[in-house]
Amino acid sequence: MTIFNLGSINADIVYRLPHLPGPGETLAATELTRGLGGKGANMSVAAARAAARVAHIGAVGEDGRWAVQRLTEYGVDTRHITAVGDATGHAIIAVDDAGENSIILYPGANHAISEAAVCLALAEAAPGDTLVLQNETNLQGFTARTAREQGLRVAYAAAPFDADAVMAVLPFLDFLILNAVEARQLQEATGKSPNALGVANVVITLGAQGCRWLAAGADPVEIPALPVEVVDSTGAGDTFTGYTLAALDRGMPMEQALRLATKAAAIMVTRLGTADVIPDLKEVQSAEI
Ligand code: RIB
């Protein structure tokens, strides 16, 4: 089956710093890397590296050809990435010595995806395929509804969190992934706990505590995190989502898929960078952690 990803594509400019800068502070970075990123692109690369067939739906500017080329090299179907007049999205990422980050996002072309491009991509979809979305593009509600009507399984990673954005796609979701803070914010906005939202599967990521899977009508399942030394947590959540969906796509049971994704995310946090350093399936399977 295929995973369609309505997803952002960014140039990530990553600075390693002794600590995250405060207001008015000037701080020298100790390391600089540039690479492919965006929550969408990271998820596409993760799912492709986890051996899924992935078609990315997105947009870049004229300055973003390199990003499309790189996604293609990483095994992602890029035929539905369009070139638009806006500049390619980018992110300025500060990472401190504890691996925590703070991100400035310029959405650019990620907000200029057309309905026509979405429809063209989904015309190739079949019931049982998956659509994944995050909150870094336009057309989330439209795409989720169209995909659901076509019989796709619809997954949403609620990041960057915005309660209104989640509510716009909620009626179409089969799968929701969010962290503990986002789960609380969503509960405040909807007045409902995550397992009462009407979504068949909800996964709450808990950082160093692992994750919790809430399935309709079943007891919560806790998956522990794996002990690793954190270098950079950026993109770990995206890697987790991509790996989970790829594993589910090839028929793996949810609990096993979440354990595999947890391992992939654990490897990811030991590396500085985003899409370019996502581990492949062989590395994940053979890693002893
Ligand atoms: O989740 C990490 C991602 O967030 C980065 O790659 C950055 O581009 C932002 O989208």
Side-chain angles (χ1 to χ4, degrees):
M1 308 301 292
T2 302
I3 298 173
F4 291 83
N5 180 359
L6 177 77
S8 55
I9 301 168
N10 291 337
D12 278 358
I13 304 156
V14 184
Y15 298 95
R16 177 165 281 285
L17 299 154
H19 59 262
L20 299 180
E25 183 177 9
T26 301
L27 197 58
T30 53
E31 200 176 336
L32 164 67
T33 67
R34 295 167 196 267
L36 176 65
K39 295 185 196 308
N42 297 341
M43 286 177 202
S44 279
V45 172
R49 291 210 165 140
R53 181 174 187 281
V54 184
H56 194 101
I57 309 167
V60 293
E62 283 304 323
D63 57 340
R65 286 175 198 275
W66 67 272
V68 180
Q69 239 164 37
R70 207 170 284 187
L71 278 165
T72 310
E73 281 160 20
Y74 292 159
V76 175
D77 176 351
T78 57
R79 289 173 301 122
H80 301 294
I81 299 174
T82 46
V84 296
D86 309 54
T88 302
H90 73 259
I92 294 172
I93 304 175
V95 180
D96 71 10
D97 283 343
E100 280 303 329
N101 65 33
S102 109
I103 302 179
I104 297 171
L105 210 54
Y106 176 75
N110 294 314
H111 281 185
I113 301 167
S114 69
E115 285 189 7
V118 169
C119 292
L120 210 59
L122 292 183
E124 296 180 1
D129 283 347
T130 299
L131 171 77
V132 59
L133 320 96
Q134 334 74 35
N135 187 26
E136 286 188 348
T137 67
N138 61 331
L139 296 184
Q140 294 162 39
F142 171 79
T143 309
R145 188 180 66 242
T146 309
R148 185 63 186 256
E149 283 167 2
Q150 285 183 223
L152 276 71
R153 173 166 46 185
V154 181
Y156 188 71
F161 184 78
D162 177 78
D164 290 339
V166 186
M167 310 252 261
V169 295
L170 205 52
F172 314 113
L173 299 186
D174 301 285
F175 190 15
L176 173 64
I177 301 183
L178 69 186
N179 67 30
V181 176
E182 295 161 352
R184 204 178 48 243
Q185 289 173 312
L186 190 58
Q187 183 155 355
E188 280 162 17
T190 59
K192 292 180 183 169
S193 61
N195 51 356
L197 292 169
V199 179
N201 290 290
V202 178
V203 171
I204 302 179
T205 57
L206 305 165
Q209 271 73 53
C211 71
R212 181 177 303 134
W213 166 38
L214 306 168
D219 288 338
V221 175
E222 308 278 341
I223 312 279
L226 297 165
V228 286
E229 199 160 316
V230 179
V231 171
D232 175 10
S233 58
T234 320
D238 308 331
T239 301
F240 177 87
T241 300
Y243 260 80
T244 301
L245 296 178
L248 293 176
D249 179 66
R250 61 171 183 277
M252 204 180 262
M254 178 70 89
E255 192 174 335
Q256 201 183 337
L258 293 174
R259 285 187 194 280
L260 180 76
T262 299
K263 204 171 170 196
I267 297 171
M268 185 62 183
V269 299
T270 65
R271 301 173 175 181
L272 182 68
T274 42
D276 303 303
V277 298
I278 293 172
D280 66 23
L281 190 55
K282 218 164 135 198
E283 283 178 89
V284 175
Q285 284 169 335
S286 61
E288 289 186 11
I289 39 175

